[in-house]
């Protein structure tokens, strides 16, 4: 009976061991790799490799290679190399293990600088100065950009204002010239009527007869007997094809508006030109028989 009991007990223990072994084998992964120097890619010896597992693991890779067993999870692998008790090179790798197997993770050690060097007051002053200069340059560039944009906007507004002002003044001057031309035409007509009223009755009768009769257009007026100013006006009208506005004629002469009106009226009385009113101005033409 005792032998049978021992036999059953040993079978149970064996079954338990067999059921536990695969679980532990399946739940463990192996990470391994080589450790290289960053500039020569040569193996680095005597590097301390640490993993933040539970419990933490730490080994010395004496010949530049390492190997560790880890269960699934997230880890940080840290490798450090010391010379004369001073850290000269190090690296960190973040790894995630999801299942069992082999994970090859090579490590490349980068130079490490002493923390005292970064806390050197002179170095800190230089760094602060460089940052301040960089900030000033950036702010200055922004200020200059805003300044140029403001100047450009001011110039555009000023140019637009000058254009509108000059255009308005030009139109106003043209209207004034037309009004002056009309006023002088009226003055010339009134002066002609007053001169007729002042003539003696005999001369008035002769003038009436002359006005009543049609002007003799059969002959051509002797151009050589014309004054120079009248001849100049006729030449300008002929150069325009025998037709011109009084405003354009005024712009081509150096005479005043009053004198231009008098010259046109004189030429009209001589039968050399004809004047027609169009809108607020006059059109002057040379008859066909005088061209």
């Amino acid at each position: 009976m005792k032998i049978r009991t021992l036999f059953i007990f040993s079978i149970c223990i064996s079954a338990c061991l067999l059921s536990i072994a695969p679980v532990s084998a399946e739940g463990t992964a192996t990470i391994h790799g080589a450790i290289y120097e960053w500039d020569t890619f040569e193996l680095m010896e005597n590097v301390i490799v640490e993993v933040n597992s539970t419990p933490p693991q730490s080994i010395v890779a004496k010949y530049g290679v390492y190997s560790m067993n880890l269960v699934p999870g997230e880890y940080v692998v840290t490798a450090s190399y010391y010379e004369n008790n001073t850290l000269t090179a190090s690296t960190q790798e973040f790894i995630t293990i999801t299942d069992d197997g082999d994970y090859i993770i090579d490590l490349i050690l980068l130079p490490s600088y002493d923390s005292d060097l970064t806390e050197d007051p002179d170095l800190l002053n230089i760094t602060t100065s460089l940052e301040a200069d960089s900030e000033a340059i950036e702010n200055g560039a922004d200020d200059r950009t805003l300044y140029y944009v403001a100047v450009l906007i001011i110039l555009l507004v000023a140019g637009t204002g000058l254009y509108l002002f000059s255009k308005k003044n030009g139109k106003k001057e043209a209207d004034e010239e037309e009004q002056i031309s009309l006023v002088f035409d009226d003055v010339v007509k009134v002066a002609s009527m007053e001169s007729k009223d002042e003539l003696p009755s005999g001369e008035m009768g002769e003038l009436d007869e002359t006005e009543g009769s049609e002007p003799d257009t059969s002959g051509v007026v002797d151009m050589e007997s014309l004054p120079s100013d009248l001849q100049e006006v006729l030449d300008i009208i002929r150069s325009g094809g025998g037709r011109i506005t009084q405003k354009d004629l005024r712009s081509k002469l150096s005479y005043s508006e009053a004198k231009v009106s008098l010259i046109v009226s004189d030429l009209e009385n001589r039968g050399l030109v004809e004047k027609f009113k169009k809108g607020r101005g006059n059109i002057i033409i040379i008859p066909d028989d005088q061209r």
Side-chain angles (χ1 to χ4, degrees):
M1 185 70 180
K2 293 181 180 180
I3 296 173
R4 186 178 178 182
T5 304
L6 290 174
F7 179 73
I8 294 173
F9 181 73
S10 61
I11 289 174
C12 292
I13 292 175
S14 299
C16 292
L17 291 175
L18 289 174
S19 62
I20 294 172
V23 173
S24 63
E26 289 181 358
T28 303
T30 301
I31 64 168
H32 59 89
I35 305 171
Y36 298 98
E37 191 174 1
W38 72 277
D39 55 347
T40 62
F41 288 96
E42 295 181 355
L43 291 175
M44 296 188 69
E45 300 178 352
N46 300 321
V47 177
I48 299 175
V49 181
E50 299 174 313
V51 179
N52 61 337
S53 58
T54 304
Q57 300 185 51
S58 176
I59 64 171
V60 177
K62 189 173 182 181
Y63 301 105
V65 293
Y66 73 97
S67 177
M68 293 182 176
N69 295 325
L70 297 171
V71 297
E74 295 182 352
Y75 301 96
V76 179
V77 180
T78 304
S80 306
Y81 179 73
Y82 291 86
E83 286 184 356
N84 299 325
N85 295 326
T86 301
L87 180 65
T88 59
S90 63
T91 190
Q92 278 188 344
E93 290 289 341
F94 295 87
I95 62 173
T96 300
I97 297 175
T98 58
D99 53 12
D100 62 337
D102 287 342
Y103 292 82
I104 300 175
I105 301 174
D106 292 333
L107 304 175
I108 299 176
L109 269 62
L110 301 175
S112 296
Y113 300 100
D114 191 0
S115 59
D116 294 338
L117 181 62
T118 58
E119 296 176 0
D120 186 11
D122 294 335
L123 184 60
L124 291 175
N125 291 335
I126 293 173
T127 304
T128 305
S129 178
L130 289 175
E131 291 177 354
D133 292 342
S134 180
E135 240 177 76
I137 290 172
E138 290 178 358
N139 293 335
D142 294 340
D143 293 341
R144 285 196 298 272
T145 302
L146 293 176
Y147 172 76
Y148 291 143
V149 170
V151 170
L152 182 60
I153 293 174
I154 291 172
L155 291 177
L156 287 175
V157 172
T160 304
L162 288 175
Y163 172 75
L164 296 176
F165 180 75
S166 61
K167 187 176 180 181
K168 183 177 180 181
N169 282 349
K171 184 177 180 181
K172 185 177 180 181
E173 290 177 357
D175 293 341
E176 289 179 353
E177 288 182 357
E178 291 181 359
Q179 291 177 0
I180 292 173
S181 175
L182 294 175
V183 170
F184 277 111
D185 288 343
D186 294 339
V187 170
V188 171
K189 290 180 181 178
V190 171
S192 300
M193 293 177 63
E194 289 179 354
S195 62
K196 290 180 182 179
D197 293 340
E198 292 176 356
L199 290 174
S201 59
E203 294 180 0
M204 179 62 74
E206 294 176 358
L207 183 60
D208 292 338
E209 292 176 358
T210 304
E211 291 180 352
S213 62
E214 295 181 358
D216 184 11
T217 59
S218 59
V220 179
V221 177
D222 185 9
M223 296 300 176
E224 295 181 357
S225 62
L226 287 176
S228 60
D229 52 355
L230 272 66
Q231 186 65 49
E232 182 182 2
V233 171
L234 283 175
D235 292 340
I236 293 174
I237 299 174
R238 287 194 182 97
S239 65
R243 180 187 181 94
I244 194 172
T245 63
Q246 188 164 336
K247 181 181 177 182
D248 292 339
L249 178 63
R250 167 72 179 84
S251 64
K252 297 178 182 297
L253 296 169
S254 59
Y255 307 137
S256 64
E257 184 66 30
K259 184 171 182 179
V260 172
S261 297
L262 292 174
I263 292 174
V264 172
S265 297
D266 192 356
L267 291 173
E268 188 179 14
N269 292 334
R270 292 172 184 266
L272 298 176
V273 299
E274 295 179 357
K275 182 171 65 174
F276 300 95
K277 189 171 185 62
K278 183 178 180 181
R280 302 181 66 180
N282 297 322
I283 297 177
I284 304 166
I285 64 172
I286 298 177
D288 294 338
D289 56 349
Q290 296 296 335
R291 296 188 182 185

